[in-house]
Amino acid sequence: MSYPPDPNNPYGQQPPQAPQQPGYGYPQQGAPQQPGYGYPQQGAPAPGYGAPQGAPGYGAPQPGYGYPQQGAPAPGTIQANNGFINIANLGPVKIATMGQRFLARLLDGLIIGLVMTLAMVLGLGGAIGLVNNTKDCTSLVNDSVAYQSCLNDQISQASGGIMAGLFTSLAVIAAIGVLYEWLMVGLVGATLGKMALGLRVVKESTGENPGLGGGFIRYIIPTVGGFLCGIGQILVYLSPFFDNSGKLQGWHDRAAGTVVVKKQA
C-alpha cells in the first residue's frame, strides 16, 4: 500500500533527474549523435581491424608477408628451392636433375660411339681395298730386281692407303663429335639423348634455343678441358654440383648463359 508523499517532508521527495550528457552512455533522443566513446560514427568505417578492402589498416591486404606480389617473378628466379625456375616465355619449368643429365649424356655417348665405329670400319675397308688393288708382282718373280721394285711399290701404296683411310676416319669422327653436340644443342636445344629423356637446353634470359654461338661455347669448354688427360672435361661435367644457386648450372652453362630444364609432359 502506497501513501502520497508528504509535502512537508523533504526526505520523501524524489531528487530531480540530471540530463544525460553527450558522449558517455547512450545518445540523447532526438539529438544528433556526438563523437565519443559510445558508438562509432555512422557511415565512417573505423581504421584498423575490420576495414573494407582497399582501405588502409590491418584489415586490408598490404603488399608484403602473406600476400603474393603482383606480376611474374624475374627470369631465372628459383621458386622456393622446389626445383622449378621461372624462364621468360616459358614460365615455371623444372630444372633437370643430374641423374637425368647423366643418362642423357650416356645415351649420347652410345650413339656417337656407334657412328664412330661405323666410320672407322668404313675407313679401314677402304684402306684394305686400296691394298688389294696394288700391282701384282707374281709375274716378275724370275727377275729379282724388278720383283723387289714391285714389292716396294706395293708397300708404299698400301701404307698410303691405310694412312689415308685412318685420317679420313678420324676427320669424320671429329666432325661428327663437333656437329652432333654443337649444332643440335645450338639449333634444336637438345641432343638425341636429351630428347629421349625430355630435356632441353635453353637460354636463361629468353627461354629460346642457345643458337650457334651459345651452342659452340657450351661445347668447346668441356672439349678443351678434355685435352688435360680428360680431367678438365670431367670437372666441367661435374661442375653443376658446385652451383649453389639451385639452377645446377655447369661452368659451360654459365659461360653460354644456358640452363638445362625438363620439358613439361
Side-chain angles (χ1 to χ4, degrees), residues 50-56 59-61 67:
Q53 298 295 325
Y67 294 93

Side-chain angles (χ1 to χ4, degrees), residues 220-236 251:
I220 198 63
I221 290 179
T223 301
V224 172
F227 293 144
L228 302 175
C229 301
I231 298 177
Q233 187 175 32
I234 294 175
L235 289 177
V236 171
W251 298 334

Side-chain angles (χ1 to χ4, degrees), residues 158-215:
S159 299
I162 292 174
M163 294 301 296
L166 289 176
F167 279 118
T168 301
S169 299
L170 292 176
V172 171
I173 290 172
I176 291 173
V178 173
L179 298 179
Y180 177 79
E181 183 79 19
W182 172 27
L183 295 183
M184 293 203 68
V185 170
L187 300 179
V188 183
T191 58
L192 295 178
K194 288 181 172 62
M195 290 180 184
L197 293 177
L199 307 184
R200 183 184 172 197
V201 182
V202 298
K203 295 178 68 174
E204 184 180 0
S205 59
T206 63
E208 299 175 350
N209 295 330
L212 293 179

Side-chain angles (χ1 to χ4, degrees), residues 5 22 61 97 110 121:
T97 65
L110 294 176
V121 170

